[in-house]
Amino acid sequence: MTFPSVMTRALSERVLSLMDTSRPEGPAFLAAAAGTELAKATGFGPLEKLCKPLIVPAALAIALRDGARGEGAGRPGVGGLGPLATMLLSVTGAAYTTGDVILMLGGGHASRSKARLVSGAAAFGVGHLALGGLMLRSGLRFKPLQSAVHGVVAGAAGAILLSEDRANAPLAAYGGLLAALSALATSVDRRSGPAASVLAVAGPVFLLSDGLILVRRKAEGGTALARALDVGVIDTYATAALLLLTGTAAAARTAGRPA
């Protein structure tokens, strides 16, 4: 099978696994994401505060337990993962959730507070570094084409942010870090196993999600466009977080197999 075919199959299997009621973390992820979408669409803040902080923990639970069936089954550790891989995935999950809470309590995607945006970006940056470290440890390496494309994207985004305000430098740096993570994720190949192929989609979707946040900040609050953008941010973010965590966990399990 070609790599695109392997990736398509892995994505289909991931979607189907979320509906497996014998494993509560899948339905919990769907419920948390759907609840947050509904909250964004209706402007009902209490529902968002209840659901959004559960998206990443549910995705993390899926990533950690995937090895209990299939890839990694029977290996020691949590879901077939070693202690270091489990720790790095957990750090990523905690950092992403912290970033979610920071942004959510400060007006969400519409926040005009630069300090809060920088704080949220810093939390996500910690998660990106931990996840990127695990990708490298699992054998992923930057490929020239992916690195060049993401370098152009990061450079363009950084230039736009800095042209608006030099104080946007921390956000531009965060964009560069996310682009580097996406470049590494999209460099995945067959050596990391079929389940890890979803990383090729995960990185760009995370970039899209953060790009939508920047567009949302310029939209007038309460409008249909603003709410549609809010829902779009949640859709892409939840998808990216799930695929990044589960894909990286799968690569770590493949790397830990005996030669």
Side-chain angles (χ1 to χ4, degrees):
M1 293 177 68
T2 63
F3 184 79
S5 298
V6 171
M7 181 180 67
T8 301
R9 181 175 178 179
L11 288 170
S12 298
E13 290 175 350
R14 172 53 59 208
V15 171
L16 291 174
S17 73
L18 295 177
M19 294 177 266
D20 181 0
T21 55
S22 69
R23 299 181 64 175
E25 59 270 22
F29 173 83
L30 290 176
T36 308
E37 290 171 347
L38 181 60
K40 288 296 188 183
T42 60
F44 187 54
L47 181 60
E48 179 185 4
K49 290 179 174 60
L50 174 66
C51 293
K52 190 178 182 184
L54 300 179
I55 292 176
V56 172
L60 176 62
I62 294 170
L64 293 176
R65 289 192 59 186
D66 268 352
R69 300 178 185 178
E71 273 190 69
R75 288 185 58 221
V78 180
L81 290 166
L84 181 57
T86 300
M87 182 194 74
L88 290 171
L89 285 170
S90 299
V91 168
T92 300
Y96 284 3
T97 302
T98 299
D100 278 340
V101 172
I102 290 172
L103 295 178
M104 180 179 67
L105 297 181
H109 309 149
S111 176
R112 298 299 196 273
S113 169
K114 194 160 296 180
R116 187 169 289 275
L117 284 172
V118 169
S119 296
F124 278 104
V126 170
H128 296 338
L129 287 170
L131 200 62
L134 181 54
M135 288 181 191
L136 289 169
R137 186 175 183 273
S138 301
L140 274 74
R141 294 295 181 267
F142 290 99
K143 293 182 178 178
L145 177 60
Q146 286 83 342
S147 299
V149 170
H150 283 84
V152 171
V153 171
I160 292 171
L161 286 167
L162 292 174
S163 68
E164 293 179 352
D165 189 343
R166 292 290 178 181
N168 283 334
L171 297 178
Y174 165 80
L177 175 60
L178 176 56
L181 180 72
S182 181
L184 183 57
T186 54
S187 296
V188 68
D189 55 31
R190 290 177 177 274
R191 290 173 295 181
S192 296
S197 64
V198 298
L199 289 173
V201 175
V205 173
F206 210 124
L207 280 171
L208 174 60
S209 182
D210 278 7
L212 289 175
I213 290 178
L214 295 179
V215 175
R216 170 62 183 90
R217 290 181 66 216
K218 297 181 180 299
E220 183 179 348
T223 64
L225 174 60
R227 292 187 177 181
L229 286 169
D230 278 336
V231 173
V233 169
I234 294 303
D235 285 343
T236 50
Y237 169 64
T239 299
L242 175 68
L243 297 182
L244 278 174
L245 288 167
T246 57
T248 305
R253 291 186 181 99
T254 298
R257 287 177 178 174

